[in-house]
Amino acid sequence: MRTPSRFWPRFLAVSDPRPVAPGGLLDRRAVLKGLAAMSAVSAVPARAEDDARLAAAMPWQKTAGKPMSGYGTPSSHEGHVLRTTYTRYGAIALGNGGSFTPLHQLEGTITPSGLHFERHHHGVPDIDPARHRLVLHGLVDRPLEFRVEDLLRYPMESRVLFIECSGNSFRNTLGKPAQVSCGEIHGLVSNSEWTGIPLSVLLDEAGVQTGARWVIAEGADAATMARSIPLEKALDDTLVALYQNGERLRPEQGYPLRLVLPGFEGNMCVKWLHRLKLADGPQHSRDETSHYTDLLPDGRALQFTFEMGVKSVITQPSAGRSLPGPGYYDIAGFAWSGAGRVRTVEVSADAGRTWVPAALTGDAPSHTLVRFRIPWHWDGQPATLMSRATDERGQGQPTRPEWLARYGANQRYHCNAIQAWAVDDMGEIANVFV
């Protein structure tokens, strides 16, 4: 079924600017300049004799609207914009699973708090903030215990940062391309403004002893999720977050406290944080031995791959959508890197034979999602759309064969291989492996 054209607000009925690459990719500045001289894009021209109809009041202008509410909710007409949830073990363990952010249905770069992806190992605890405590102990001069109300009195910082589950995009590590939406493949990444206390402030207050090299962070969930964090990362840019996008953390995001480690894999951003222990070595917990290790082709497994690789994905258009007809479209997507800033994103419309730089929106700050865009004229012929990002370290996205050569067919974490979307001559879009 074709997607209604309302999903394509930038569908343009205009004459063709000159392509900058095979497959119909266009120069964005030329398209924007052309738009300024056009009377309309997708709007239907109105006739002068329609003035009375155009000026007539709509039904919702004839009655009073709803009164104010204590907390806003999305429009009922946007009720289809939801996370896709899954439970890894079904009814046996309903609290083990996650939910995917619908990346293909969002714009801008900030993920609404209610659509931020989830990954839980034993459900979402219902924590009373008045009874919750954060304990800081181990190789410190002065063990400390904080109440939440204590922490709320500290000076705070706000940073916009992405969090990505190391299992994001695992569906593209399987033998056949999954025909699900972009969000169901890549939606274990989200971007929020996090506000809280630099962990270094609390460590300084406790006094780090000589010999301390690691911080063991543990959550207050029933799975006692625990990860070992290098001390230098804890002292550098790690945040003890209490707020997300201006409001207190939601329960599924770690209320009342969670760690946020810029650029590191999501499971290290321990939710429901209740204990930090300084030690001279890592804990080798269940979550960093049986889970979250990188299986190699020879059967060995790597531990402690913290940083998420540079990555990009085209969200519009993407799998499960349909193009309503030949013409102009605004190709758009997200890019990010655990190393810091995204430097460039290139787009191909011919399955990777040729590439053209896309425009990055905003100033592409460090460890955040950045938008990229490039105009495209689809001529109605089959096409394969791809994007690849490069970060400030010069690291680029691998092709899927390159990624598989490094990790083998049984690795499910840290997949940052280039995504390909195939458009057929009917405008239907599918996930394909190239």
Side-chain angles (χ1 to χ4, degrees):
M1 178 182 297
R2 286 176 178 267
T3 303
S5 59
R6 68 188 179 88
F7 289 120
W8 298 105
R10 295 177 183 272
F11 174 72
L12 311 178
V14 297
S15 57
D16 296 1
R18 184 184 299 275
V20 293
L25 296 173
L26 305 173
D27 182 89
R28 182 172 175 79
R29 287 173 296 181
V31 170
L32 293 174
K33 185 177 179 181
L35 283 174
M38 297 166 193
S39 59
V41 285
S42 59
V44 178
R47 298 175 300 178
E49 55 267 36
D50 288 341
D51 277 356
R53 178 179 61 82
L54 295 172
M58 300 301 288
W60 44 84
Q61 294 177 274
K62 300 177 180 177
T63 59
K66 295 179 180 178
M68 287 64 72
S69 60
Y71 202 92
T73 56
S75 165
S76 61
H77 301 284
E78 300 300 323
H80 60 283
V81 182
L82 297 170
R83 293 182 291 211
T84 301
T85 61
Y86 80 100
T87 53
R88 193 171 183 180
Y89 303 107
I92 297 174
L94 290 174
N96 190 315
S99 62
F100 296 79
T101 295
L103 299 176
H104 54 293
Q105 293 176 309
L106 301 179
E107 262 297 349
T109 57
I110 296 295
T111 308
S113 297
L115 295 176
H116 192 288
F117 84 88
E118 302 169 82
R119 177 70 176 100
H120 313 313
H121 297 80
H122 212 328
V124 179
D126 182 15
I127 294 178
D128 178 355
R131 298 170 60 190
H132 187 73
R133 298 289 185 270
L134 173 63
V135 177
L136 207 170
H137 66 128
L139 295 177
V140 296
D141 296 332
R142 190 163 65 106
L144 298 173
E145 179 179 356
F146 301 93
R147 298 173 300 174
V148 175
E149 63 182 87
D150 299 329
L151 295 172
L152 287 168
R153 299 177 64 181
Y154 276 72
M156 296 191 191
E157 295 181 1
S158 296
R159 304 178 205 159
V160 177
L161 302 165
F162 78 81
I163 294 180
E164 181 180 20
C165 176
S166 59
N168 195 24
S169 313
F170 74 90
R171 286 190 166 96
N172 279 355
T173 70
L174 305 176
K176 296 181 179 178
Q179 297 310 323
V180 295
S181 71
C182 173
E184 290 170 276
I185 299 173
H186 303 289
L188 294 180
V189 65
S190 302
N191 201 47
S192 291
E193 182 192 71
W194 303 97
T195 301
I197 308 160
L199 178 54
S200 60
V201 171
L202 304 183
L203 293 174
D204 285 346
E205 190 170 339
V208 178
Q209 292 185 352
T210 302
R213 297 288 183 272
W214 294 77
V215 179
I216 316 302
E218 186 178 272
D221 57 326
T224 57
M225 174 80 185
R227 286 303 312 260
S228 305
I229 300 165
L231 180 60
E232 56 265 32
K233 181 68 173 178
L235 291 172
D236 180 19
D237 57 3
T238 299
L239 201 64
V240 177
L242 294 102
Y243 292 84
Q244 178 187 9
N245 296 332
E247 63 179 4
R248 293 296 301 277
L249 296 174
R250 298 193 173 195
E252 68 267 28
Q253 297 304 329
Y255 181 86
L257 307 170
R258 83 173 296 175
L259 285 179
V260 178
L261 286 72
F264 277 25
E265 58 184 6
N267 63 81
M268 298 183 71
C269 300
V270 174
K271 295 185 285 190
W272 315 294
L273 180 68
H274 88 100
R275 194 161 71 93
L276 294 165
K277 180 181 179 182
L278 272 69
D280 58 2
Q283 180 165 291
H284 297 292
S285 68
R286 175 196 61 227
D287 301 300
E288 50 201 22
T289 52
S290 63
H291 284 172
Y292 304 121
T293 58
D294 298 329
L295 188 59
L296 300 177
D298 62 3
R300 295 180 300 159
L302 294 174
Q303 275 186 282
F304 305 132
T305 305
F306 300 137
E307 194 173 278
M308 299 304 294
V310 59
K311 195 167 178 178
S312 69
V313 61
I314 294 171
T315 57
Q316 302 173 27
S318 58
R321 297 293 183 87
S322 297
L323 304 182
Y328 289 85
Y329 296 91
D330 195 25
I331 293 176
F334 290 113
W336 64 96
S337 172
R341 299 177 187 274
V342 171
R343 191 173 67 192
T344 60
V345 178
E346 298 170 293
V347 172
S348 172
D350 56 5
R353 287 186 288 276
T354 60
W355 296 88
V356 175
L360 303 184
T361 61
D363 57 358
S366 187
H367 299 122
T368 74
L369 297 189
V370 60
R371 275 274 176 193
F372 64 88
R373 300 183 186 279
I374 188 168
W376 175 51
H377 177 264
W378 181 50
D379 61 6
Q381 298 300 309
T384 301
L385 304 177
M386 304 164 68
S387 67
R388 64 182 184 188
T390 302
D391 64 24
E392 60 185 342
R393 285 189 197 159
Q395 300 174 131
Q397 276 185 268
T399 64
R400 186 171 180 276
E402 290 170 340
W403 188 88
L404 288 172
R406 176 181 179 186
Y407 289 110
N410 295 312
Q411 160 71 347
R412 299 290 176 261
Y413 299 120
H414 295 283
C415 178
N416 66 332
I418 293 172
Q419 170 69 59
W421 305 124
V423 183
D424 69 14
D425 57 3
M426 296 298 292
E428 305 292 337
I429 304 171
N431 178 23
V432 294
F433 292 161
V434 174

